[in-house]
Amino acid sequence: MKGKIIVIGESWLEIGFRNGNPTSIQPGGVLLRAASELASNGEEVVFLSEIGIDKVGEIIAEKLTAAGVDIAKSDRHTIKTPVVLSFDGAKSRYGIADDGEGFDIIWPRVEKEDIVVFGGYFAIDPRIRRQLWAFMTNVVDHEATVVYVPDVADDRIPRITKVMPYVYENLEISNCVVTMPADLVALFNHDEAERARRENFDYYVDHYTHLTDPDDLAGVIEKINSNT
């Protein structure tokens, strides 16, 4: 019997520009997009994030709810929701989500049949690490399947060596790892997926997938869910 899919990740509104003209407005974040697609495909999805009470946050909340994502346990107390402007692919982040109170969410009950997907900056952010790690320890205790998505190619990480201890801690509790296109260079200074599997990931996890397209993440999670 398949359980629910709990996705823990950031939320922001992404506005795309081409030649100086806006071309798209949509919720951003690879984990957010995967949660939305999974729910649209009929999966039971709980999304844990920070979604502000501003207009930007309302747009994101409405989009997720319309897709069937359960956001009732997300932190809706933050004042501002980040906005990412993408100018012909080059991205700039504006706004903050930090209200000074950490990750103020209601952690859901976890069952053995569930899948918990976490990663990105949330998974290494010292501001929320304590709350997140306590929950992930509970996830492991309940023998749920853990999927780690490093997604560490982020301008908020100026030195990868400073966050590698968190990355390895995350790997130690995971059953599956899914890397994004830029992850291998950021983590290991090369782009060879098979080498990364052999030298790094096989020691920690039973299943490793490297994506060339981040939007394929939902499909990978669905496959994992169908096999649990």
Side-chain angles (χ1 to χ4, degrees):
M1 177 180 176
K2 294 195 298 183
K4 60 185 176 293
I5 301 174
I6 301 170
V7 181
I8 309 169
E10 288 186 280
S11 301
W12 64 74
L13 190 67
E14 188 162 322
I15 305 175
F17 291 82
R18 186 171 297 279
N19 298 322
N21 297 310
T23 57
S24 62
I25 300 176
Q26 60 183 353
V30 64
L31 291 169
L32 180 150
R33 293 197 302 272
S36 182
E37 183 176 344
L38 287 164
S40 295
N41 291 344
E43 302 285 357
E44 181 184 355
V45 180
V46 176
F47 186 55
L48 305 178
S49 186
E50 292 174 309
I51 306 174
I53 57 174
D54 55 346
K55 182 59 178 177
V56 171
E58 287 302 320
I59 292 172
I60 293 171
E62 290 172 4
K63 291 279 190 180
L64 289 170
T65 301
V69 179
D70 179 0
I71 62 170
K73 293 179 173 59
S74 282
D75 185 348
R76 298 302 312 277
H77 300 97
T78 54
I79 297 173
K80 291 184 178 180
T81 307
V83 173
V84 173
L85 304 183
S86 178
F87 295 96
D88 301 312
K91 297 183 179 182
S92 299
R93 181 183 302 270
Y94 298 88
I96 57 173
D98 186 4
D99 60 359
E101 298 182 1
F103 204 24
D104 185 17
I105 70 167
I106 301 171
W107 296 103
R109 181 180 177 85
V110 178
E111 307 291 347
K112 185 176 181 178
E113 296 80 14
D114 295 340
I115 292 178
V116 178
V117 186
F118 79 121
Y121 192 69
F122 260 15
I124 57 175
D125 184 356
R127 181 176 61 89
I128 66 171
R129 181 72 181 179
R130 182 177 59 82
Q131 299 100 312
L132 174 63
W133 196 249
F135 175 69
M136 295 308 301
T137 300
N138 180 57
V139 169
V140 173
D141 288 344
H142 284 79
E143 300 182 5
T145 300
V146 177
V147 180
Y148 177 41
V149 184
D151 193 22
V152 293
D154 192 298
D155 59 10
R156 291 167 292 177
I157 308 173
R159 292 180 59 190
I160 193 67
T161 53
K162 287 189 174 183
V163 301
M164 285 305 292
Y166 289 154
V167 171
Y168 284 119
E169 281 185 349
N170 295 338
L171 286 170
E172 286 176 352
I173 65 166
S174 300
N175 305 103
C176 312
V177 172
V178 182
T179 50
M180 297 291 108
D183 275 340
L184 299 185
V185 172
L187 288 168
F188 311 121
N189 202 30
H190 67 77
D191 61 358
E192 303 170 43
E194 187 55 38
R195 177 182 169 188
R197 178 198 305 276
R198 183 178 65 252
E199 295 181 358
N200 304 101
F201 296 126
D202 275 353
Y203 177 78
Y204 294 98
V205 299
D206 295 326
H207 303 285
Y208 165 59
T209 301
H210 180 68
L211 301 180
T212 56
D213 184 349
D215 287 333
D216 290 338
L217 178 58
V220 173
I221 297 170
E222 283 189 316
K223 185 175 181 180
I224 294 171
N225 197 28
S226 66
N227 292 330
T228 56

